Amino acid sequence: NPVVVSTMLVELFYRNGLKIALSNRDEASVALLLRFAIRYISDPRYTPMLWQLSNLLVDMYASVLGQSQAADGLFMCLKNRTRSEIEVQKDLFALMGQLELLMSVTALGTGHGTTSS
């Protein structure tokens, strides 16, 4: 259940225990965390926490990259998923800017939002 896992991660983070909880993990448990992050990082309910988790995992386990094809593949998948999410966010922000411009032009054209002297 992603809600339970995310809630537990948030609690560990706020209690400064996430780094300790992620330390000295075997490949299988790191793989579970990576798969969870890959699956849910684009879900807005979990994105902030999973960015933190992903950053910690990369920082903590970067030194062992190249030792396991499976782990390397998961880290690469996380990188690609993150890159893809960043591009989506950029596109959404650009679209929001365009919509704001259209709404302001429409408001000016109909007399809304203008002040009379």
Side-chain angles (χ1 to χ4, degrees):
N1 184 347
V3 174
V4 173
V5 174
S6 180
T7 302
M8 182 64 74
L9 291 170
V10 168
E11 281 301 313
L12 285 168
F13 179 77
Y14 285 131
R15 295 171 190 237
N16 295 318
L18 186 57
K19 192 170 186 175
I20 295 166
L22 296 176
S23 298
N24 300 316
R25 292 278 172 187
D26 62 1
E27 183 179 343
S29 62
V30 171
L32 284 173
L33 290 165
L34 286 169
R35 282 190 199 97
F36 181 82
I38 291 164
R39 183 171 181 182
Y40 293 105
I41 200 160
S42 61
D43 187 323
R45 297 173 293 177
Y46 312 118
T47 301
M49 181 65 253
L50 293 179
W51 278 99
Q52 294 291 331
L53 174 69
S54 299
N55 284 330
L56 276 172
L57 287 172
V58 169
D59 289 345
M60 295 172 76
Y61 293 100
S63 63
V64 298
L65 287 174
Q67 296 178 11
S68 164
Q69 285 185 342
D72 291 353
L74 287 170
F75 275 107
M76 186 60 68
C77 188
L78 179 62
K79 174 188 167 190
N80 293 337
R81 183 69 180 238
T82 303
R83 184 171 285 159
S84 173
E85 184 62 20
I86 289 169
E87 290 303 316
V88 167
Q89 294 295 323
K90 284 180 183 178
D91 292 344
L92 287 173
F93 277 114
L95 181 59
M96 284 175 41
Q98 293 169 355
L99 287 173
E100 286 179 15
L101 178 63
L102 286 173
M103 290 189 301
S104 65
V105 167
T106 301
L108 289 173
T110 59
H112 294 78
T114 60
T115 57
S116 57
S117 305

